[in-house]
Amino acid sequence: MNFTRWSARLPGTQRRAAARTEDSPTALPSEGSVPAARAERLSDAALLPVVDELPVREVLDRIPALVALVQGPDHRLAYVNDAYVAAFGVRPAGEPARVALPELTEVGLLPLLDQVLRSSKPRTVKSRKAPGGRSYTFTCTPVEVSATPEGGGVLIFAADVTDHAEAAERLRASERQHRETAVTLQRSLLPQELEEPDDLRVAATYHPGGTEAAVGGDWYDVITLGGGRTALVIGDVMGRGVRAAAVMGQLRTAVRAYARLDLPPHEVLQLLDGLAMEIDANQIATCAYAVHDPNEGRLVYASAGHLPILVRDESGTVLRADEPTGPPLGTGGWMHASGSIPLGPGSTAVLYTDGLVERRDADLDEGIASLERALAGATGTPQVVCDRLVRSAGVTADHDDDVAVLVLQHPARTGPDSELFRNAALELLGGVEAAPRARAFASGVLTSWRFPTDLHDLGVLAASELVANSLQHGTPPMRLRLRRTDRRLIVEVTDGDDHLPRRRRAEPADESGRGIAIVATIASNWGSRRTPGGGKAVWCEFALPRTT
């Protein structure tokens, strides 16, 4: 495109060209080149002063921004324009700035004047609130003032940015309100009180990110499964804000529901993976789900893209549960698997989210290694360990990410306390003669544990019914296990058949079907689950009297 030809047709182009022609002494008049009306307007414009001819003071007096000129090392006031006078009133000329311009003192501008005068370089401070409530952006520029003995001076230019400042403050207030809403929702969806398992001591903490970080998505939970077993969960929804907190709430509720099915950890994550895709196909989350069984002394777990569980044994050695780990929830198409790690008496396990160990300037493995070192030296109650780990990781109020930590301990009980936690087991060998042998075993054990007569009789009856049910419907190997804690008596029977019993109504003429119904009636709680190696376990619980 020819810009010269194109610009010649712009409005006013011909007029400006004609004006230049008339001002040129060598130009010849061109008849009819400018219409009369345009020539009339040109004569009016010629009366206006050219910018180059305007005095500087006249220009400064006309602009709407605030302008002041100070000179010399004391920054004595030499000039203020009309806009400055309208904003702050008449200012006495010749006085130092600290006297003549007190508003500059209040906004902290006087030290900046010294810097500008020394360095001969302009400086700018943004959005300072001046007396009267207006906000200004101040630009201080060095100038040469040769007509005065003081020499150099500083030109102060203040642009009114009140509207921008108020808009920014409204935006910050909106962001603070959004963050407070997300934090409130997040905390309301987390457990208000952790369940207290018989065999474990647990503590957890949640720290939202600092005021500059959006929050939401980290969660933890402790779920008592019955039969002395406990499920422990920790997860992290990717993303921030109310949406992440809402997704977290749905996943946490689903985990509790799936945990009641007493499934292996990898099956729980499999169900949770499908649910995460239904909630939001674009929203992914990491999760670690673990189950502790005091009879096995191990922590069985499955991980969906989550950080490894750390376990400190009684000697202080820290183990890392690295495998197996699958992709995060919501990705689909992956078969999760369960692993296990020892968690015997005297051990401490830590489940955590990435905010505890991930830093922008360090590798993730370095953060986990640092946490291992901190855990190796951390002793005390679970809450004390929680606090020490958070402090050692440098988590402060202005941390840039959420942090969730769940600590569990399997205490090593000695002395009188150990008498409150007892185990006894009997292998059920043979045929129908195993039933009376199981009753006699249960009676002897409960008598040695000094249970009251009524609880003794209920325990023997429950053991008899569960053993009879296993002999009739199960397959070898079979085992009767009795366990007591400081709160309850647990009766459990395992066998090699994986068909789970269910409670049903037996008709008067039926010769079977009443065993589970009797157990469900006399016990505080009962349930069944499939065991990892195949087969099932059926259990029931009786709450102990407070005085026991």
Side-chain angles (χ1 to χ4, degrees):
M1 177 180 292
N2 189 324
F3 285 97
T4 303
R5 295 177 58 191
W6 176 74
S7 62
R9 292 192 291 271
L10 289 176
T13 302
Q14 296 177 353
R15 180 171 67 251
R16 288 192 296 271
R20 287 194 298 269
T21 302
E22 291 177 357
D23 292 339
S24 173
T26 58
L28 296 176
S30 177
E31 185 178 353
S33 60
V34 179
R38 293 187 181 180
E40 196 173 291
R41 286 197 295 270
L42 283 173
S43 61
D44 294 338
L47 298 176
L48 298 176
V50 180
V51 173
D52 293 341
E53 298 175 357
L54 284 175
V56 173
R57 178 163 184 161
E58 186 176 349
V59 173
L60 296 179
D61 282 341
R62 292 183 181 182
I63 63 175
L66 280 58
V67 179
L69 176 65
V70 296
Q71 58 188 24
D74 293 337
H75 309 298
R76 295 183 178 276
L77 181 62
Y79 164 80
V80 291
N81 70 346
D82 294 341
Y84 200 106
V85 172
F88 298 117
V90 178
R91 292 292 180 260
E95 295 291 337
R98 63 179 180 275
V99 176
L101 306 174
E103 57 277 358
L104 299 188
T105 304
E106 294 192 27
V107 298
L109 207 65
L110 292 185
L112 193 67
L113 298 180
D114 294 331
Q115 295 178 19
V116 172
L117 202 59
R118 286 196 305 267
S119 64
S120 297
K121 293 181 179 180
R123 295 285 189 273
T124 299
V125 292
K126 296 182 179 180
S127 191
R128 295 286 179 91
K129 183 170 286 189
R134 307 293 292 181
S135 296
Y136 298 90
T137 289
F138 292 89
T139 299
C140 301
T141 305
V143 294
E144 292 293 334
V145 187
S146 56
T148 60
E150 291 86 354
V154 179
L155 182 70
I156 304 166
F157 184 91
D160 191 332
V161 293
T162 304
D163 292 342
H164 296 283
E166 291 177 351
E169 181 57 34
R170 288 193 296 269
L171 179 60
R172 286 191 292 269
S174 176
E175 291 175 346
R176 286 194 298 269
Q177 183 178 8
H178 183 82
R179 182 181 182 278
E180 290 170 2
T181 301
V183 171
T184 301
L185 178 61
Q186 175 86 1
R187 291 193 180 278
S188 66
L189 293 175
L190 289 172
Q192 303 306 301
E193 291 185 7
L194 292 178
E195 297 184 18
E196 298 181 1
D198 293 357
D199 294 274
L200 298 177
R201 298 294 176 263
V202 296
T205 186
Y206 168 73
H207 292 268
T211 55
E212 299 300 323
V215 302
D218 291 17
W219 94 92
Y220 55 83
D221 210 348
V222 178
I223 309 166
T224 53
L225 301 177
R229 303 167 73 246
T230 306
L232 305 124
V233 194
I234 196 159
D236 185 0
V237 177
M238 301 301 149
R240 295 288 183 268
V242 174
R243 175 60 181 167
V247 172
M248 176 274 287
Q250 296 178 75
L251 293 178
R252 176 177 173 258
T253 302
V255 168
R256 295 192 69 87
Y258 295 148
R260 298 304 178 191
L261 300 176
D262 218 340
L263 300 171
H266 66 275
E267 292 189 22
V268 171
L269 291 190
Q270 210 70 48
L271 294 172
L272 205 59
D273 183 39
L275 177 66
M277 294 184 66
E278 293 178 7
I279 294 175
D280 188 346
N282 298 319
Q283 188 81 60
I284 63 174
T286 64
C287 180
Y289 180 89
V291 175
H292 176 255
D293 189 336
N295 297 322
E296 299 176 359
R298 302 186 69 81
L299 196 65
V300 181
Y301 66 91
S303 175
H306 204 76
L307 298 172
I309 300 171
L310 302 181
V311 175
R312 177 185 182 272
D313 63 17
E314 195 171 13
S315 65
T317 302
V318 178
L319 304 177
R320 183 188 299 191
D322 281 327
E323 298 293 342
T325 300
L329 302 174
T331 55
W334 181 268
M335 295 300 295
H336 292 274
S338 294
S340 67
I341 188 169
L343 188 71
S347 297
T348 300
V350 178
L351 293 78
Y352 51 96
T353 57
D354 57 1
L356 186 66
V357 296
E358 190 173 33
R359 300 292 181 271
R360 295 179 181 178
D361 56 350
D363 187 76
L364 180 61
D365 286 336
E366 293 179 8
I368 298 176
S370 176
L371 181 62
E372 288 179 345
R373 292 190 294 270
L375 178 59
T379 58
T381 65
Q383 189 59 59
V384 170
V385 174
C386 247
D387 296 339
R388 288 182 177 177
L389 295 181
V390 170
R391 286 198 303 270
S392 69
V395 177
T396 59
D398 58 350
H399 197 58
D400 60 357
D401 196 5
D402 291 12
V403 174
V405 184
L406 177 62
V407 174
L408 57 137
Q409 291 179 344
H410 187 184
R413 296 181 173 87
T414 58
D417 192 33
S418 64
E419 296 297 320
L420 301 178
F421 292 83
R422 306 286 292 275
N423 275 288
L426 173 68
E427 299 293 335
L428 300 175
L429 304 175
V432 293
E433 68 274 10
R437 190 163 61 249
R439 285 194 295 272
F441 173 78
S443 178
V445 169
L446 298 182
T447 299
S448 69
W449 289 349
R450 299 178 182 179
F451 282 163
T453 302
D454 55 346
L455 185 58
H456 170 280
D457 294 342
L458 290 175
V460 172
L461 176 58
S464 176
E465 293 297 336
L466 291 182
V467 169
N469 182 78
S470 182
L471 290 172
Q472 182 175 357
H473 302 289
T475 60
M478 302 178 186
R479 172 184 287 188
L480 168 64
R481 184 188 295 275
L482 301 176
R483 176 173 174 78
R484 71 155 295 168
T485 69
D486 58 344
R487 305 177 196 173
R488 72 197 82 232
L489 165 66
I490 303 168
V491 181
E492 182 180 82
V493 175
T494 60
D495 63 55
D497 185 81
D498 61 0
H499 178 73
L500 299 180
R502 59 186 178 87
R503 185 180 181 181
R504 62 185 179 89
R505 182 186 297 275
E507 298 299 331
D510 292 344
E511 297 182 358
S512 62
R514 294 180 175 84
I516 295 299
I518 292 173
V519 170
T521 300
I522 64 175
S524 305
N525 192 17
W526 81 279
S528 62
R529 70 179 187 279
R530 291 187 174 88
T531 53
K536 66 176 179 295
V538 186
W539 54 268
C540 67
E541 296 177 349
F542 297 89
L544 299 186
R546 293 288 184 180
T547 56
T548 301

